[in-house]
Amino acid sequence: MKKIGIILRDYISLSQKTLLAIHQDLITYLSRYPLEIICLPLNFNNNLETEFNSVVKTINNCQGIILPGGANYHDVDFKIAKYLHEKNIPTLGICLGMQIMVLAFKDK
């Protein structure tokens, strides 16, 4: 069974609390396939290196990564996108995730 990692995005709830989440539509779609879905939570307030190091080991254990949509991007998003490219890990960017990949390599 393939392991697919999904970076959790930060969302503001109706009660104004910050949540890390994945859209239900994405989970519903992925559940149709024999995949092990691994959630990669990020604390976007941490130091860039600390946050990257908190997920890189898990990323390396996945056969692919999904960079989902959301409202905000962070420096760690760009570092992850560059790492995925460098390590040739299959990556799917959805909405903001694709924009992150474009911006990570705009100067190349």
Side-chain angles (χ1 to χ4, degrees):
M1 184 175 298
K2 290 193 178 205
K3 294 180 184 179
I4 302 298
I6 302 176
I7 303 292
L8 299 181
R9 303 303 312 164
D10 52 341
Y11 295 95
I12 303 298
S13 72
L14 295 176
S15 61
Q16 299 303 306
K17 293 183 180 181
T18 301
L19 305 172
L20 294 176
I22 304 168
H23 280 279
Q24 179 63 42
D25 294 345
L26 181 57
I27 295 299
T28 300
Y29 179 78
L30 292 174
S31 67
R32 298 176 187 171
Y33 301 95
L35 301 171
E36 181 179 342
I37 298 170
I38 300 175
C39 296
L40 299 164
L42 295 172
N43 178 348
F44 296 105
N45 297 318
N46 274 349
N47 167 287
L48 172 64
E49 291 302 318
T50 301
E51 202 51 44
F52 176 75
N53 291 332
S54 75
V55 296
V56 72
K57 190 176 198 179
T58 305
I59 287 172
N60 289 330
N61 288 322
C62 294
Q63 283 79 40
I65 299 292
I66 296 175
L67 302 175
N72 303 310
Y73 60 85
H74 306 276
D75 289 339
V76 71
D77 290 314
F78 301 115
K79 186 165 180 77
I80 290 170
K82 288 177 181 177
Y83 181 82
L84 294 169
H85 177 73
E86 175 186 305
K87 296 296 182 182
N88 203 28
I89 298 171
T91 306
L92 172 64
I94 301 171
C95 199
L96 179 66
M98 178 55 83
Q99 293 173 41
I100 288 166
M101 291 190 291
V102 169
L103 291 173
F105 297 101
K106 71 177 180 145
D107 295 328
K108 283 199 170 202

